[in-house]
Amino acid sequence: MPRAKTVKDYIRTIKDFPHEGIMFRDVTTLFADARGFRIAIDQMLHPYAGLAIDKVVGLEARGFILGGAIAHQLSVGFVPIRKKGKLPGAVISEDYNLEYGEATVELHQDAIQPGEKILVVDDLLATGGTAAAGIRLIERLGGEILSCAFIIDLPDLGGRARLEQMGMDVHTLCAYDGL
């Protein structure tokens, strides 16, 4: 009997994208497969069964896909953290460093109420820069982050350790060595 497919089996690797030497982990192949997508969402939800979560926060952009599906399953609201200039209302901003430069993310200043329990979601945890910036935004609004969930961890880049040093609980579905 063949072994059951895992989330990792649905993820495509593209060599030298976006730069030479990078092994890009492409989750669009996971999203495009109904069974693979269902497995990922179910596995991302599993650790939070029975927890009181008020909102799911998705990090731009693939975190929107995952976060929307997870929020739907939990019957809670979804909040996007977006790149600078993409949200129409009053926002708070956070600058952070990327592997190849700097960026800014924003959150509507009325998106999260003090004391709300938050689950942060994205597809990939690399250096943790985007997630750390998002966490700081949520905390500035008084949100209580219960956990951060990702499909992929790239442990060699230190993102998990960075988030754990911030006191975050981190859950991932699979990991890849290297860049």
Side-chain angles (χ1 to χ4, degrees):
M1 175 181 276
R3 74 171 177 82
K5 284 180 113 177
T6 68
V7 166
K8 204 171 188 179
D9 294 323
Y10 293 95
I11 298 169
R12 171 175 52 189
T13 298
I14 300 173
K15 186 177 177 182
D16 296 327
F17 182 83
H19 303 285
E20 187 174 333
I22 303 293
M23 300 295 282
F24 185 81
R25 309 307 175 172
D26 181 18
V27 295
T28 63
T29 50
L30 170 69
F31 295 166
D33 186 284
R35 181 165 171 71
F37 190 52
R38 168 56 68 189
I39 291 168
I41 297 302
D42 288 350
Q43 288 181 4
M44 289 181 87
L45 281 164
H46 182 76
Y48 312 109
L51 293 183
I53 295 171
D54 296 306
K55 290 183 179 156
V56 175
V57 171
L59 303 174
E60 187 157 334
R62 290 172 295 274
F64 299 170
I65 298 164
L66 297 164
I70 290 169
H72 173 75
Q73 288 297 107
L74 293 172
S75 296
V76 300
F78 171 77
V79 175
I81 289 184
R82 302 228 40 205
K83 294 176 184 174
K84 184 177 181 174
K86 300 291 185 180
L87 291 172
V91 298
I92 59 172
S93 301
E94 185 74 28
D95 298 326
Y96 66 102
N97 292 320
L98 296 163
E99 296 90 308
Y100 307 106
E102 297 178 353
T104 302
V105 289
E106 295 179 330
L107 175 63
H108 278 130
Q109 64 186 29
D110 61 355
I112 294 170
Q113 302 306 307
E116 284 187 318
K117 309 284 192 262
I118 308 297
L119 173 61
V120 176
V121 176
D122 204 1
D123 67 320
L124 181 110
L125 178 57
T127 66
T130 306
I135 288 164
R136 288 190 295 272
L137 288 172
I138 295 163
E139 289 178 338
R140 282 170 48 196
L141 293 179
E144 180 185 328
I145 300 163
L146 297 179
S147 187
C148 301
F150 305 88
I151 294 174
I152 300 168
D153 183 14
L154 301 178
D156 294 345
L157 297 180
R160 179 186 211 103
R162 180 180 190 174
L163 297 186
E164 288 173 345
Q165 287 172 354
M166 294 175 73
M168 296 297 117
D169 174 66
V170 178
H171 175 70
T172 62
L173 301 186
C174 63
Y176 289 90
D177 294 329
L179 300 179

